[in-house]
Amino acid sequence: MKLVSFNINGIKARGPALTRWLDAFRPDVLVMQEIKSVDDAFPREIFEDRGYHLATHGQKGFNGVAIASLLPLSDVTRGLPGDDDDAQSRYIEATVQGATRVLRVCGLYLPNGNPVELDGAGAPVPGGKYAYKLAWMARLRARAEALLAAETPFVMLGDYNIIPQAEDAARPKAWEADALFRLPSREAFRKIVNLGLTDALRACTQAPDNFTFWDYQAGAWDRNDGIRIDHILLCPQAADWLQDCGIDRAVRGEEKPSDHVPIWAEMAL
DNA sequence: ATGGTTGGCCACCAA
């Protein structure tokens, strides 16, 4: 079965491009980010007409995540545990029933974190976007720990807004001070991976130039000035079920594309 | 290295 993460950058603008890709690729389970829609305005028929179950967690104007699945979906939960005051829609979980196995699918849109605001001592300014990013990552790590402790097979996939290593950017120097690549961001990502999770793409290839995002600006796509920030992390059990992983980069060159492309994992479920 | 584009939505913010 094919499991995919795709930051669609606005469902209202992405209808034609998304449906073309959906019909060509036919994912079994799809998590989306930046739907930029409230739940009531989401065009559910795009998915339901094609036989998908759909769970959305949207908000007005920004953010918003969703899960579409050909396999039965159950136990949908919305929001990342750990902060009841967090009003941003960035996290959704659901249980997917495969032919022989059950998988907890965690779809996430990790905060961008820019601009990086630091105080005189170099600490993130409380209430700033960078502090929010790091706090969110600590909550995500706690959630992964809880799922590991419960021995619930799970995958955490989505737009992490993290460039894990220099080979994951065409021009790493340009990103050194950015919230997507600065060392504390990469350390926080490693602390999650180091719980024992597998980066699905890196389990299948060490090649550089496996980007998932190219900015709309300055001809980034034409110059292949990209970064790898969309990731699929697997718990040890789910990693045993991984068969292949790749990035559907051609989507970026089609008409009216998102600035991200799908990353997929083939799993024995 | 810098400047630049798109989405949501209606004055700009976010990326």
Side-chain angles (χ1 to χ4, degrees), chain A residues 5-18 30-37 42-43 47 59 61-66 108-109 112 158-159 161 212-217 229-230 251-252 255-262:
Chain A
S5 171
F6 190 2
N7 180 324
I8 62 174
N9 191 20
I11 187 63
K12 297 175 182 72
R14 209 60 59 219
L18 179 61
L30 169 66
V31 303
M32 288 167 277
Q33 304 85 34
E34 287 202 87
I35 65 174
K36 295 185 176 179
S37 168
F42 192 94
F47 294 93
Q59 72 179 80
F62 306 104
N63 307 322
V65 290
L108 63 102
Y109 176 45
N112 176 294
D159 179 355
N161 271 315
T212 64
F213 170 91
W214 296 260
D215 202 295
Y216 288 126
Q217 302 180 85
I229 55 174
D230 299 85
V251 173
R252 187 64 175 81
E255 195 176 340
K256 213 165 160 45
S258 170
D259 42 6
H260 294 249
V261 297

Side-chain angles (χ1 to χ4, degrees), chain A residues 67-103:
Chain A
I67 303 180
S69 177
L70 293 173
L71 302 170
L73 274 182
S74 61
D75 299 317
V76 177
T77 57
R78 294 167 173 84
L80 180 63
D83 181 1
D84 294 339
D85 295 330
D86 187 354
Q88 300 190 30
S89 296
R90 297 179 171 275
Y91 190 82
I92 188 169
E93 280 187 15
T95 297
V96 167
Q97 177 68 59
T100 58
R101 293 166 176 142
V102 169
L103 181 67

Side-chain angles (χ1 to χ4, degrees), chain A residues 9 15 22 51 74 90 118 125 127 130 148 155 158 174 179 184 203 208 211 227 238 250 253:
Chain A
N9 191 20
L22 203 54
S74 61
R90 297 179 171 275
L118 305 174
V125 173
Y130 194 61
L148 287 166
V155 52
F211 306 137
I227 51 178

Side-chain angles (χ1 to χ4, degrees), chain A residues 162-245:
Chain A
I162 292 286
I163 302 165
Q165 297 184 271
E167 55 263 45
D168 297 315
R171 297 181 303 125
K173 277 267 175 224
W175 295 93
E176 270 176 3
D178 193 282
L180 276 59
F181 189 56
R182 64 193 308 270
L183 186 55
S185 304
R186 284 181 281 139
E187 287 174 336
F189 182 74
R190 285 181 207 156
K191 280 191 71 171
I192 298 169
V193 173
N194 289 345
L195 292 171
L197 308 188
T198 294
D199 178 337
L201 189 90
R202 286 295 173 234
C204 296
T205 176
Q206 294 303 311
D209 191 21
N210 264 299
F211 306 137
T212 64
F213 170 91
W214 296 260
D215 202 295
Y216 288 126
Q217 302 180 85
W221 168 247
D222 294 325
R223 297 186 292 117
N224 193 28
D225 182 9
I227 51 178
R228 186 173 78 95
I229 55 174
D230 299 85
H231 308 299
I232 300 176
L233 299 188
L234 304 159
C235 80
Q237 272 175 293
D240 284 344
W241 308 339
L242 176 68
Q243 297 171 318
D244 199 7
C245 180

